Amino acid sequence: MVQRLVLALFMGLAWMSLTLGVSLGNFIVGAILSFAILTLISSNQKSSTLTLRQLPQQLLAATMYTLILFRDIYLSSIDVAKRVIDPAMPLNSGIIAVSTQYTPTGSDGEATADTIAAISAHGITITPGELVVDFDGNQVMYVHCLDVVASSAVAESNQAKRLVFLRRIFL
């Protein structure tokens, strides 16, 4: 806990310099966000201590995951807006199955698999035009899509990208 707090304070300073907002409030926001991220990362490891060797890789993976998620949200928002504005664009809604492609190993593998599946489902759900409606354990999730043809063409590759970064973050 103390290790996370000290790292969060240093990361709060880094947050302040990256956002170019030198103020106590900005530092506190950065430190709180950093502490939350460090707690989330360490809660899924076998030992509750963070290793400084893995932390840069985990933070890089979290950053990349976030950037990809923002890109997906942006592109999907444009697609949904086009469908709303232009009634001629077809709605071919339906449900597709998306594999989580994750097999838990070890004593804490089930908790990690559940976390990865839940965060992956969250990434899909906050993307406009898609919504996770059901799970089959932590192996398959069923996603409702506005356009089944377009979504099924990219669902597995997008899921594979998400899982690569989520595994790097949590394992």
Side-chain angles (χ1 to χ4, degrees):
M1 170 97 164
V2 173
Q3 183 182 18
R4 281 183 287 202
L5 185 59
V6 171
L7 282 171
L9 293 176
F10 284 113
M11 290 170 70
L13 291 172
W15 171 268
M16 227 173 34
S17 66
L18 288 173
T19 59
L20 301 175
V22 181
S23 69
L24 180 62
N26 198 19
F27 170 73
I28 290 172
V29 167
I32 289 172
L33 287 173
S34 299
F35 186 77
I37 290 169
L38 292 171
T39 301
L40 182 64
I41 289 171
S42 68
S43 69
N44 288 295
Q45 293 180 350
K46 291 180 183 175
S47 65
S48 63
T49 60
L50 290 168
T51 58
L52 292 177
R53 181 176 293 166
Q54 292 178 342
L55 185 61
Q57 295 170 352
Q58 289 174 316
L59 291 175
L60 179 64
T63 302
M64 293 301 295
Y65 176 78
T66 303
L67 290 174
I68 288 172
L69 186 62
F70 284 157
R71 182 204 65 196
D72 290 346
I73 291 170
Y74 177 75
L75 294 175
S76 295
S77 297
I78 291 172
D79 180 62
V80 170
K82 285 179 184 177
R83 291 177 191 281
V84 169
I85 292 170
D86 185 7
M89 283 190 75
L91 284 180
N92 187 15
S93 63
I95 296 178
I96 60 172
V98 178
S99 173
T100 63
Q101 303 172 2
Y102 186 78
T103 306
T105 58
S107 61
D108 65 340
E110 190 66 35
T112 303
D114 289 345
T115 302
I116 288 174
I119 293 176
S120 177
H122 175 264
I124 292 171
T125 298
I126 66 171
T127 304
E130 295 181 344
L131 174 69
V132 176
V133 293
D134 198 10
F135 273 96
D136 185 9
N138 59 9
Q139 299 297 314
V140 177
M141 58 183 115
Y142 297 97
V143 181
H144 180 271
C145 311
L146 288 180
D147 188 352
V148 173
V149 175
S151 293
S152 61
V154 296
E156 290 298 326
S157 64
N158 287 347
Q159 177 68 357
K161 288 176 194 173
R162 276 190 294 273
L163 291 176
V164 164
F165 291 115
L166 289 173
R167 287 183 188 128
R168 287 181 188 162
I169 294 168
F170 294 110
L171 300 179

